[in-house]
C-alpha cells in the first residue's frame, strides 16, 4: 500500500542518513550563516560534515535581516563568497552591497546540502564527547525532549573536530570550559563574552577570533566574538561568511595532512 511505502521510505532513508553520520570528520553545532558557509566549503573539499541546529528551520539570525526588515548588507571583502553561493545582490554605496535575507539564507542552506553536507534540524547539542583531553564529538538530543524536560538520554556522534557556531551564547565553548576544568585559548581561559556594537572592529575581530580554542574545538561566527570578547557588529554579514570560510580552510588544511 502506498501509505506504508511512504512511511517506510522516510524511516529507512532517515535511518541510513543518521547511521552514515555517526562518525564524522567535522560536526558543526549551529546552523547560522557562519556554520553553513563552513559546512559548504568542508563538503566541497570532500570531508564528511554534519551540522546540527536546534530549530526546525536552520539559518540562525540571517532570515530576519535587521529588526525583521529582510535585507542584509555585505562588504566587498566577502563578495567572492556571495558569488560562490549565486546570491543576487545590488550595490549600495562604496564597498557595500545589499541582498534579500530570505534568498541569502536559503541559498546558503541549499548549496551546503547540495555540496554533500548533512543538516540535522531539531537536534540540540547538549554536550561534547571529551576523550584524552580532546573534544571528540557531540552529544545530541531532540530539541522537543529538552524543551519538555523529558528524562531521555542523548545519542553520541564522534567527530575528528567540532565547530562551535552557536552564535552569541557560544554554548559549546562554555560547556567544554565549565564541565572539564580546562582553559580555552583566550585571555582569561574561559568565554569572555561579546562587547557592545562596533561594526569595523567587530567585523575584523570576528575573523581573527575564528580558530581552534581547545584541541578538537573550533569557533566561528558570533561564538568566536563571544569567546574572545570582541564587539558585535549587527546586520552586516560579511564577517560571518568570512569566518565560516576561514574555519573551513583551517580544518581542511589540518585533516588533509
Ligand atoms: O546566531 P546565528 O545566526 O550564528 P552565526 O553564524 O551568525 C550570527 C548572525 O546571524 C547575527 C549577527 C552577525 O551579523 O550578529 O546574529 O554566528 O545562529 C546560531 C544557530 O545555532 C543554533 C541556533 O538555533 C541558531 O540557528 N544553536 C545554538 N545553540 C545550539 C544550536 C545547540 N546547543 N545545539 C544546536 N543548535
Amino acid at each position: 500500500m502506498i501509505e506504508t511505502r511512504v512511511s517506510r521510505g522516510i524511516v529507512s532513508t532517515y535511518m541510513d542518513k543518521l547511521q552514515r553520520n555517526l562518525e564524522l570528520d567535522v560536526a558543526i553545532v549551529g546552523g547560522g550563516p557562519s556554520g553553513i558557509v563552513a559546512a559548504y566549503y568542508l563538503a566541497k573539499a570532500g570531508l564528511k560534515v554534519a551540522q546540527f541546529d536546534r530549530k526546525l528551520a536552520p539559518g540562525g539570525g540571517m532570515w530576519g535581516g535587521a529588526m525583521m526588515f529582510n535585507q542584509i548588507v555585505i562588504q566587498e571583502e566577502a563578495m567572492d563568497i556571495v558569488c560562490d553561493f549565486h546570491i543576487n545582490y545590488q550595490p549600495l554605496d562604496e564597498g557595500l552591497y545589499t541582498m534579500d535575507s530570505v534568498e541569502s539564507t536559503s541559498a546558503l542552506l541549499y548549496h551546503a546540502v547540495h555540496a554533500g553536507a548533512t543538516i540535522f534540524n531539531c537536534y540540540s547539542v547538549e554536550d561534547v564527547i571529551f576523550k584524552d583531553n580532546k573534544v571528540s564529538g557531540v552529544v545530541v538530543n531532540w530539541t522537543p525532549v529538552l524543551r519538555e524536560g523529558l528524562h531521555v538520554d542523548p545519542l553520541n556522534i564522534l567527530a575528528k573536530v567540532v565547530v562551535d557556531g552557536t552564535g552569541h551564547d557560544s554554548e559549546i565553548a562554555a560547556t567544554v570550559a565549565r564541565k572539564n576544568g580546562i582553559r580555552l585559548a583566550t585571555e582569561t581561559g574561559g568565554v569572555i563574552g561579546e562587547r557592545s556594537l562596533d561594526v569595523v572592529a567587530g567585523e575584523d575581530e570576528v575573523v581573527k577570533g575564528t580558530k581552534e580554542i581547545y584541541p578538537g574545538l573550533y569557533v566561528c561566527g558570533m561564538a568566536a566574538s563571544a569567546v574572545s570578547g570582541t564587539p558585535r557588529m549587527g546586520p552586516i554579514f560579511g564577517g560571518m561568511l568570512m569566518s565560516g570560510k576561514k574555519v573551513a580552510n583551517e580544518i581542511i588544511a589540518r585533516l588533509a595532512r
Side-chain angles (χ1 to χ4, degrees):
M1 298 289 274
I2 181 97
E3 287 80 1
T4 308
R5 287 167 54 214
V6 169
S7 300
R8 187 174 289 129
I10 289 170
V11 172
S12 63
T13 56
Y14 183 82
M15 287 304 163
D16 283 348
K17 182 158 67 174
L18 183 54
Q19 293 231 45
R20 276 199 310 277
N21 284 283
L22 293 179
E23 285 186 34
L24 298 166
D25 291 319
V26 189
I28 301 177
V29 189
S34 62
I36 310 169
V37 166
Y40 168 78
Y41 289 111
L42 289 162
K44 288 247 322 168
L47 294 174
K48 194 198 228 189
V49 51
Q51 181 160 25
F52 305 91
D53 198 285
R54 63 160 53 114
K55 295 194 177 144
L56 177 61
M62 204 178 192
W63 294 107
M67 235 180 80
M68 295 195 280
F69 300 165
N70 64 356
Q71 289 289 120
I72 56 168
V73 171
I74 291 192
Q75 62 275 46
E76 187 72 52
E77 294 89 317
M79 287 306 287
D80 59 321
I81 304 174
V82 169
C83 292
D84 282 350
F85 285 89
H86 306 287
I87 299 167
N88 292 308
Y89 57 87
Q90 291 174 300
L92 190 59
D93 56 34
E94 218 171 288
L96 292 180
Y97 298 82
T98 181
M99 48 221 78
D100 182 285
S101 69
V102 174
E103 180 190 349
S104 304
T105 314
S106 46
L108 296 190
L109 289 165
Y110 167 73
H111 285 288
V113 176
H114 200 68
T118 305
I119 300 183
F120 290 99
N121 54 345
C122 302
Y123 274 48
S124 289
V125 176
E126 58 171 63
D127 203 347
V128 298
I129 302 172
F130 193 81
K131 289 164 82 77
D132 304 324
N133 282 317
K134 186 176 172 307
V135 174
S136 309
V138 289
V139 175
V140 301
N141 213 328
W142 295 119
T143 298
V145 163
L146 298 178
R147 286 228 174 115
E148 286 296 312
L150 302 179
H151 193 162
V152 178
D153 266 319
L155 280 174
N156 317 314
I157 296 183
L158 280 172
K160 290 176 188 158
V161 300
V162 172
V163 177
D164 182 346
T166 60
H168 298 259
D169 294 331
S170 60
E171 282 189 26
I172 304 306
T175 300
V176 170
R178 175 171 50 81
K179 284 197 164 185
N180 301 293
I182 53 95
R183 287 181 67 80
L184 303 174
T186 66
E187 273 172 27
T188 62
V191 171
I192 297 172
E194 83 184 19
R195 288 174 38 208
S196 295
L197 189 142
D198 176 337
V199 172
V200 173
E203 284 292 86
D204 184 39
E205 291 180 37
V206 69
V207 181
K208 287 189 187 141
T210 298
K211 59 181 183 182
E212 189 174 26
I213 54 161
Y214 189 76
L217 179 64
Y218 289 76
V219 274
C220 68
M222 284 315 298
S225 303
V227 164
S228 306
T230 62
R232 64 188 301 191
M233 69 297 289
I236 179 161
F237 279 80
M240 294 301 114
L241 306 191
M242 290 188 284
S243 169
K245 188 169 182 179
K246 178 181 175 187
V247 81
N249 284 338
E250 289 199 1
I251 293 169
I252 291 163
R254 170 187 176 151
L255 296 185
R257 255 185 251 147

